[in-house]
Amino acid sequence: MAVKTIEWKNDRVVMLDQRLLPHKEIYRVCRDYQDVAEAIRSMVIRGAPAIGVAAAMGVALGALKAPVKTFDREFEKIIAVLGKTRPTAVNLFWALQRMRNVYSDHRSRGVENVQRALRDEAQKIYKEDIAANKQLGKFGASLLRNAKHIMTHCNAGALATAGYGTALGVIRALKESGQQFEVFVNETRPYLQGARLTAWELKKEKIPATLITDNMAGHLMQKGKVDAVVVGCDRVAANGDVANKIGTYTLAVLARRHGIPFYVAGPTSSIDVNCRSGDDIPIEQRDPKEVSHIFGKSVAPKGIHIFNPAFDVTAQELITAINTEKGVIHPPYQQNIRNHVSH
Ligand code: MRU
């Protein structure tokens, strides 16, 4: 796909401003790590793997600008600031940990050496993510061989990653295999990642897609119009519980009710074996205005109390399989996830 989500260019981080899609394709240039942190916080860039890649590039950028005299103090500050941007996607913390490991391994060889190593590591994380998505796409596609009607939620596409996508990576791989199918795209209230981003990506790729509002999913399933659901993930706990965009749990319950397989696709960087279950996953609460307003226009009475969790947790027993770049994980998840990540 021609669109670049994020790129390291001339010691700057350039990202497509996803807040403006699908109507405007404008790239933002981040000149220091604070710009990157603000871009993650304000959703210029979003989606678990893309947040991880952006954070890694943010660290590299910050390290490049850090004064030699106060380098170590500055490095800790950079990690802390980026670590406070968004709490749910574990890819953020995974990427920061990788950058911290590189810092520790190279620090004794001088600041210039660490700076170079951090920049290389950020590039490595970027490239690895694209490769992982292509690989997991193939594994996911093998699960959807007979599916003619596939539903997805939120945006787990090229825009949510360094490229190619996770759930949409599966859909891309399926298309590349020559299979004919159509995708139902849930609009994904309140932030509309489905309507604004997934619909845009699929249209660009000429993959047949139908946009629906979230509350139409059950109706379609009841009418026998959905053969499989595939979604991305922000964090997979050690027991297989999955945090993903708000509304994912509802879909999983509906899918179970109608005997429809429910698949989760994501790189191993989205698995958090230190998180015992979904109960331990922090759920981001976002601005009430995302619910009360649509494109800046109020749609609710002023002063109404609002609840706006950005993610929910789907219990492992509702998930048919989870696939990563290493293959497909089937239940029982506790044991199979442990084996999967250690190989
Ligand atoms: O709030 P967002 O847009 O960052 O949420 C994104 C999602 O929930 C995606 O489904 C998830 O990150 C997987 S992206 C490959």
Side-chain angles (χ1 to χ4, degrees), residues 43 46-49 51 86 153-157 160-161 165-167 193 232-234 244-245 284 310-311:
M43 308 283 274
R46 32 64 52 201
I51 291 171
R86 296 192 71 193
H153 191 66
C154 192
N155 172 266
T161 61
T166 59
Q193 287 94 332
C233 50
D234 289 86
N244 191 49
K245 180 52 54 195
E284 177 184 7
F311 303 96

Short mmCIF file of all heavy atoms in Angstrom, two decimals, residues 43 46-49 51 86 153-157 160-161 165-167 193 232-234 244-245 284 310-311, ligand 1:
data_model
loop_
_atom_site.label_atom_id
_atom_site.label_comp_id
_atom_site.label_asym_id
_atom_site.label_seq_id
_atom_site.Cartn_x
_atom_site.Cartn_y
_atom_site.Cartn_z
N MET A 43 -3.60 10.95 19.12
CA MET A 43 -4.12 10.07 18.06
C MET A 43 -3.71 10.46 16.64
O MET A 43 -4.35 10.04 15.68
CB MET A 43 -5.65 9.94 18.13
CG MET A 43 -6.22 9.56 19.47
SD MET A 43 -6.03 7.82 19.86
CE MET A 43 -7.47 7.10 19.10
N ARG A 46 -2.01 5.92 15.92
CA ARG A 46 -2.70 5.06 16.87
C ARG A 46 -2.65 3.63 16.36
O ARG A 46 -2.16 3.40 15.25
CB ARG A 46 -4.14 5.54 17.19
CG ARG A 46 -4.91 6.22 16.10
CD ARG A 46 -5.22 5.39 14.91
NE ARG A 46 -5.85 4.12 15.26
CZ ARG A 46 -5.87 3.06 14.49
NH1 ARG A 46 -5.28 3.07 13.29
NH2 ARG A 46 -6.46 1.94 14.86
N GLY A 47 -3.16 2.71 17.17
CA GLY A 47 -3.03 1.29 16.81
C GLY A 47 -1.80 0.75 17.52
O GLY A 47 -0.72 1.37 17.46
N ALA A 48 -1.96 -0.40 18.18
CA ALA A 48 -0.92 -0.88 19.09
C ALA A 48 0.49 -0.97 18.49
O ALA A 48 1.43 -0.36 19.02
CB ALA A 48 -1.36 -2.23 19.67
N PRO A 49 0.68 -1.70 17.37
CA PRO A 49 2.05 -1.79 16.85
C PRO A 49 2.60 -0.44 16.39
O PRO A 49 3.79 -0.15 16.59
CB PRO A 49 1.92 -2.77 15.68
CG PRO A 49 0.68 -3.56 15.98
CD PRO A 49 -0.25 -2.58 16.63
N ILE A 51 1.94 2.46 17.63
CA ILE A 51 2.31 3.22 18.84
C ILE A 51 3.71 2.76 19.31
O ILE A 51 4.55 3.58 19.69
CB ILE A 51 1.25 3.02 19.95
CG1 ILE A 51 -0.07 3.70 19.56
CG2 ILE A 51 1.76 3.56 21.29
CD1 ILE A 51 -1.25 3.37 20.49
N ARG A 86 -0.13 6.44 26.38
CA ARG A 86 -1.37 5.63 26.34
C ARG A 86 -1.12 4.32 27.10
O ARG A 86 -0.11 3.69 26.89
CB ARG A 86 -1.82 5.35 24.89
CG ARG A 86 -2.20 6.65 24.13
CD ARG A 86 -2.89 6.35 22.83
NE ARG A 86 -4.23 5.83 23.02
CZ ARG A 86 -4.95 5.25 22.05
NH1 ARG A 86 -4.43 5.11 20.84
NH2 ARG A 86 -6.17 4.82 22.28
N HIS A 153 -13.46 -5.00 13.21
CA HIS A 153 -13.81 -3.89 14.10
C HIS A 153 -12.59 -2.99 14.26
O HIS A 153 -11.46 -3.47 14.25
CB HIS A 153 -14.22 -4.48 15.46
CG HIS A 153 -14.86 -3.51 16.39
ND1 HIS A 153 -16.09 -2.93 16.14
CD2 HIS A 153 -14.46 -3.01 17.59
CE1 HIS A 153 -16.41 -2.13 17.14
NE2 HIS A 153 -15.44 -2.16 18.03
N CYS A 154 -12.82 -1.72 14.41
CA CYS A 154 -11.75 -0.73 14.60
C CYS A 154 -10.85 -0.71 13.35
O CYS A 154 -11.28 -1.06 12.26
CB CYS A 154 -10.94 -1.02 15.85
SG CYS A 154 -9.83 0.33 16.33
N ASN A 155 -9.62 -0.27 13.50
CA ASN A 155 -8.67 -0.35 12.40
C ASN A 155 -7.42 -1.07 12.87
O ASN A 155 -6.71 -0.59 13.76
CB ASN A 155 -8.27 1.04 11.87
CG ASN A 155 -7.13 0.93 10.86
OD1 ASN A 155 -5.96 1.06 11.21
ND2 ASN A 155 -7.45 0.67 9.61
N ALA A 156 -7.21 -2.24 12.32
CA ALA A 156 -6.00 -3.02 12.59
C ALA A 156 -5.29 -3.20 11.26
O ALA A 156 -4.91 -4.30 10.88
CB ALA A 156 -6.35 -4.34 13.25
N GLY A 157 -5.14 -2.10 10.55
CA GLY A 157 -4.58 -2.13 9.21
C GLY A 157 -3.18 -1.57 9.13
O GLY A 157 -2.48 -1.46 10.15
N ALA A 160 -2.43 1.13 11.51
CA ALA A 160 -2.28 0.81 12.94
C ALA A 160 -0.95 0.12 13.23
O ALA A 160 -0.68 -0.28 14.36
CB ALA A 160 -3.43 -0.11 13.38
N THR A 161 -0.12 0.00 12.19
CA THR A 161 1.14 -0.74 12.29
C THR A 161 2.21 0.02 11.49
O THR A 161 1.92 1.09 10.93
CB THR A 161 0.97 -2.15 11.68
OG1 THR A 161 0.64 -2.00 10.29
CG2 THR A 161 -0.15 -2.94 12.35
N GLY A 165 -0.58 -4.31 8.31
CA GLY A 165 -1.68 -4.52 9.25
C GLY A 165 -1.73 -5.91 9.85
O GLY A 165 -1.06 -6.83 9.38
N THR A 166 -2.57 -6.05 10.89
CA THR A 166 -2.73 -7.35 11.56
C THR A 166 -4.03 -8.00 11.09
O THR A 166 -4.02 -8.85 10.20
CB THR A 166 -2.65 -7.19 13.08
OG1 THR A 166 -3.69 -6.31 13.53
CG2 THR A 166 -1.30 -6.67 13.51
N ALA A 167 -5.18 -7.55 11.64
CA ALA A 167 -6.45 -8.12 11.14
C ALA A 167 -6.60 -7.81 9.65
O ALA A 167 -7.00 -8.68 8.86
CB ALA A 167 -7.63 -7.56 11.93
N GLN A 193 -12.78 4.64 14.00
CA GLN A 193 -11.61 4.09 13.28
C GLN A 193 -12.04 3.20 12.11
O GLN A 193 -11.34 3.08 11.12
CB GLN A 193 -10.72 3.28 14.23
CG GLN A 193 -9.91 4.09 15.22
CD GLN A 193 -10.64 4.23 16.54
OE1 GLN A 193 -11.87 4.19 16.59
NE2 GLN A 193 -9.90 4.39 17.61
N GLY A 232 -7.92 -7.09 15.66
CA GLY A 232 -6.55 -6.96 16.16
C GLY A 232 -6.55 -7.04 17.68
O GLY A 232 -7.54 -7.46 18.29
N CYS A 233 -5.45 -6.64 18.29
CA CYS A 233 -5.39 -6.68 19.75
C CYS A 233 -4.41 -5.62 20.26
O CYS A 233 -3.45 -5.27 19.58
CB CYS A 233 -4.95 -8.05 20.24
SG CYS A 233 -3.48 -8.69 19.42
N ASP A 234 -4.72 -5.13 21.44
CA ASP A 234 -3.83 -4.16 22.09
C ASP A 234 -2.98 -4.82 23.16
O ASP A 234 -1.88 -4.36 23.47
CB ASP A 234 -4.64 -3.00 22.68
CG ASP A 234 -5.18 -2.14 21.56
OD1 ASP A 234 -6.24 -2.46 21.02
OD2 ASP A 234 -4.47 -1.19 21.17
N ASN A 244 -8.91 -5.11 23.32
CA ASN A 244 -8.94 -4.50 22.00
C ASN A 244 -9.99 -3.38 22.06
O ASN A 244 -10.63 -3.14 23.09
CB ASN A 244 -9.27 -5.54 20.91
CG ASN A 244 -9.05 -4.99 19.51
OD1 ASN A 244 -8.01 -4.41 19.22
ND2 ASN A 244 -10.03 -5.11 18.64
N LYS A 245 -10.17 -2.71 20.95
CA LYS A 245 -11.08 -1.56 20.87
C LYS A 245 -12.44 -1.85 21.49
O LYS A 245 -13.00 -2.92 21.31
CB LYS A 245 -11.22 -1.17 19.39
CG LYS A 245 -12.11 0.00 19.08
CD LYS A 245 -11.77 1.23 19.89
CE LYS A 245 -10.34 1.68 19.80
NZ LYS A 245 -9.94 2.66 20.84
N GLU A 284 -7.72 2.40 29.08
CA GLU A 284 -7.65 3.85 28.91
C GLU A 284 -9.04 4.47 28.91
O GLU A 284 -9.94 3.98 28.24
CB GLU A 284 -6.95 4.15 27.57
CG GLU A 284 -6.86 5.62 27.23
CD GLU A 284 -6.25 5.85 25.84
OE1 GLU A 284 -6.02 4.86 25.09
OE2 GLU A 284 -6.01 7.02 25.51
N ALA A 310 -11.75 3.33 26.17
CA ALA A 310 -11.32 3.15 24.78
C ALA A 310 -11.21 1.68 24.39
O ALA A 310 -11.18 1.35 23.20
CB ALA A 310 -9.97 3.83 24.58
N PHE A 311 -11.14 0.79 25.38
CA PHE A 311 -10.93 -0.63 25.10
C PHE A 311 -11.82 -1.49 25.99
O PHE A 311 -12.31 -1.00 27.01
CB PHE A 311 -9.46 -1.02 25.34
CG PHE A 311 -8.50 -0.20 24.52
CD1 PHE A 311 -7.90 0.93 25.05
CD2 PHE A 311 -8.24 -0.53 23.20
CE1 PHE A 311 -7.04 1.71 24.28
CE2 PHE A 311 -7.38 0.24 22.42
CZ PHE A 311 -6.79 1.36 22.96
O1 MRU B 1 -7.47 3.62 20.11
P1 MRU B 1 -6.76 2.98 18.97
O2 MRU B 1 -7.22 3.46 17.64
O3 MRU B 1 -5.26 3.05 19.15
O4 MRU B 1 -7.16 1.44 19.07
C1 MRU B 1 -6.69 0.54 18.12
C2 MRU B 1 -7.19 -0.83 18.30
O5 MRU B 1 -7.92 -1.14 19.22
C3 MRU B 1 -6.69 -1.87 17.33
O6 MRU B 1 -7.66 -2.84 17.09
C4 MRU B 1 -5.45 -2.55 17.92
O7 MRU B 1 -4.53 -1.59 18.35
C5 MRU B 1 -4.80 -3.47 16.98
S1 MRU B 1 -3.99 -2.58 15.70
C6 MRU B 1 -3.11 -3.63 14.73
#
